[in-house]
Amino acid sequence: MSDQAVDYHPMWDELGLDLPTHDALLEAVGQLFGDAYLTQENRPTGMDYLNFVMSEVHGLRIKELDDFRKSGGKVFGTFCLYVPEEIIRAAGAWSVGLCAGAEFAYDEVEQIMPRNTCALIKSFMGFKLAKVCPYIESSDLVIGETTCDGKKKAYELLGEIHDTWVMELPQMKRPEDIAMWKAEVRELVKKAEEITGNTITEDSLRAAIKEVNDKRRALQRIAAASAADPAPISGKDRLLATQVAFYDDVPRFTQMMNTLADELEARVAAGEGVAPRGAKRVLVTGTPMALPNWKIHDIIEKAGAVVVGEEMCTGSRYYQDLVPEDGSTLDEMIDAVAEKYLDINCACFTPNKGRIDDVIRMAKDQGADGVIDLSLQFCGLYEMESHGVEEAVRAAGLPVLKITTDYSMEDVGQLSTRVEAFLEML
Ligand code: BJ8
């Protein structure tokens, strides 16, 4: 993927990766990145940082995790937005998102789970079974959560081969559910303290809340700039920023994303964009797109439109809300963290009207001409919720296209035809 001056093979070997398979994976991801990203024109120069991160995606960052662990630090791996990064950081540990965005070792996966499981779950299990995700191999503990049934049961299987701990997430947002979730976040506090040997204090949690809020504020600036016509950044590049937010060093990432946001704001002021003024604008909503899943954005933008927002976990759900910074006691701050996280609008909740409200608000704020509602195949939650999303978007006067897909590239031709037809009618 890059002209790596450093040979990371000894480090990958020490982590227990399957080196030939991992080399093949890196080559495939590099190819995918080149095709989807490096072919774009007029990208902001601030994207050079994310190009660099991608070129070192299993290299330099893994080395940083390795050094951190060798100096006594602990790394927690996560697959979901509901695991509060602030608590992990307040205990002096680091949080990383785990590999779950590409089809890998499905034959092995289908020996232990049904074929009709969503791509995200099959992917994370495939990366683990094939020993090609250095992030999970660098994780002292994986923290799961009881969101959908598939993930819940997959964590039992993962727990047999990797230290895994599961948070119980309620499925409603009544006062008793909020009380239950606050207790669960306190269990995480205890767990994080036990694993790290550190005590979470008012000062450490206050600092962690501020640090993670700053990261979200930087992403909010990028999203806000994307409301301009012409759009100053492609949807693909904005998506990459959110994907990288899950595992990059927090203060460095925040600084680099603020530099990118400065550039985007200057572009907006100068009327410069990545697509011509008046290009069709699309909001995408639905299941998350874990790195390196860029498939739908790539199809939409190669068809000449621009994606102006993502109502998804690799999008607005990740950065739109902040934890209040005015808590004065540790208890108040833990409660504030819990409340912020329970506000996320995942389809595992019933009812989940907040998500539909967000889709309509974002479509208006970002000046979208249409909405694409995306579900991973076999994700019952998002597929079921699609009907309500479609009705609400149409009632708001916008066209909507529903897409159900997986991580394979076999349907790219067919999806491109459908997307092109949709864009023509906008
Ligand atoms: S907060 S969206 S990251 S659960 S696609 S595994 S829901 S069957 S990913 Fe998710 Fe957290 Fe919700 Fe976000 Fe299950 Fe559906 Fe698969 Fe999913």
Side-chain angles (χ1 to χ4, degrees), residues 79-82 117-121 124 145 147-151 169 286-288 312-314 317 344-348 376-382:
F79 286 110
C80 179
L81 237 51
Y82 284 105
T117 301
C118 90
L120 194 143
I121 296 173
F124 82 62
E145 59 342 287
T147 45
C148 65
D149 288 352
K151 274 211 262 175
L169 184 76
T287 42
M312 46 182 47
C313 291
T314 43
R317 280 181 231 144
I344 297 167
N345 297 315
C346 174
C348 63
L376 278 180
Q377 194 181 18
F378 307 126
C379 174
L381 294 172
Y382 281 86

Side-chain angles (χ1 to χ4, degrees), residues 203-265:
D203 286 347
S204 72
L205 185 53
R206 186 174 291 113
I209 289 172
K210 166 88 170 59
E211 222 171 30
V212 180
N213 276 350
D214 285 345
K215 169 165 66 163
R216 299 192 209 281
R217 284 188 191 100
L219 292 169
Q220 286 173 359
R221 288 181 63 198
I222 294 170
S226 305
D229 186 13
I233 182 169
S234 68
K236 252 185 302 199
D237 279 341
R238 189 184 49 253
L239 172 65
L240 182 63
T242 315
Q243 290 172 328
V244 168
F246 283 85
Y247 63 86
D248 200 11
D249 175 77
V250 176
R252 178 179 64 211
F253 177 82
T254 303
Q255 187 195 344
M256 299 313 288
M257 291 307 99
N258 275 319
T259 305
L260 174 63
D262 290 342
E263 182 184 355
L264 298 186
E265 287 160 10

